[in-house]
Amino acid sequence: MTKKAKWGVTIAICLLIVGMIAYPHLKNHYLASQDAANVPSATVYSPNRQILNINAEVLKPQSLTDRIVSTGTLIPDEEVDLSFESSGKIVAIYFTEGTQVKEGDLLAKINDKPLQAQLKNWKPRSR
């Protein structure tokens, strides 16, 4: 490639980059001036007999939507720890997490066979 061809390609690339940067600004300026030219202007006479030009726009109804997006963790309002008078293996649970229970509801059943056997073998002492 000759030196002139290299300079020509370099200048063409520079002009292309400058054009890409300037295009959005020129486009916005052109559209703004075109919008201003399309809006009808009213002529108002002031007491000094000077002409004032007023630009106006026609407003169209549209719906506004406000959205709030958030992320987080839900924390229960109340938490209860369960404790039992006797130890043993839980054989049945009668509620699911998050459900409301009332006082006196049966929540869980413990394997009570060893306790039942002890109760059968227990004999009251005579006085």
Side-chain angles (χ1 to χ4, degrees):
M1 234 185 194
T2 65
K3 202 173 197 181
K4 286 184 181 181
K6 288 181 184 178
W7 276 105
V9 170
T10 305
I11 290 173
I13 291 173
C14 290
L15 287 175
L16 182 65
I17 291 172
V18 169
M20 288 173 60
I21 294 171
Y23 175 74
H25 299 292
L26 293 174
K27 181 180 174 185
N28 289 339
H29 180 70
Y30 175 73
L31 290 177
S33 64
Q34 191 176 22
D35 288 343
N38 288 340
V39 174
S41 60
T43 304
V44 178
Y45 291 97
S46 68
N48 299 346
R49 297 215 181 250
Q50 293 177 349
I51 297 175
L52 301 174
N53 290 328
I54 299 172
N55 293 330
E57 285 190 37
V58 178
L59 299 177
K60 297 177 184 176
Q62 61 184 12
S63 62
L64 292 176
T65 56
D66 289 336
R67 294 182 181 164
I68 298 174
V69 178
S70 64
T71 58
T73 304
L74 293 176
I75 300 173
D77 191 28
E78 188 175 330
E79 188 174 302
V80 178
D81 292 326
L82 299 177
S83 61
F84 301 95
E85 292 180 12
S86 63
S87 62
K89 185 176 180 181
I90 296 177
V91 293
I93 298 176
Y94 298 108
F95 69 98
T96 58
E97 187 175 339
T99 58
Q100 292 185 358
V101 294
K102 298 176 187 169
E103 186 177 343
D105 286 351
L106 182 62
L107 302 179
K109 184 173 181 176
I110 296 177
N111 183 6
D112 61 350
K113 288 182 183 179
L115 292 174
Q116 292 291 339
Q118 284 179 3
L119 183 62
K120 263 186 178 180
N121 292 335
W122 183 73
K123 294 180 184 177
R125 292 184 187 171
S126 305
R127 291 190 179 208

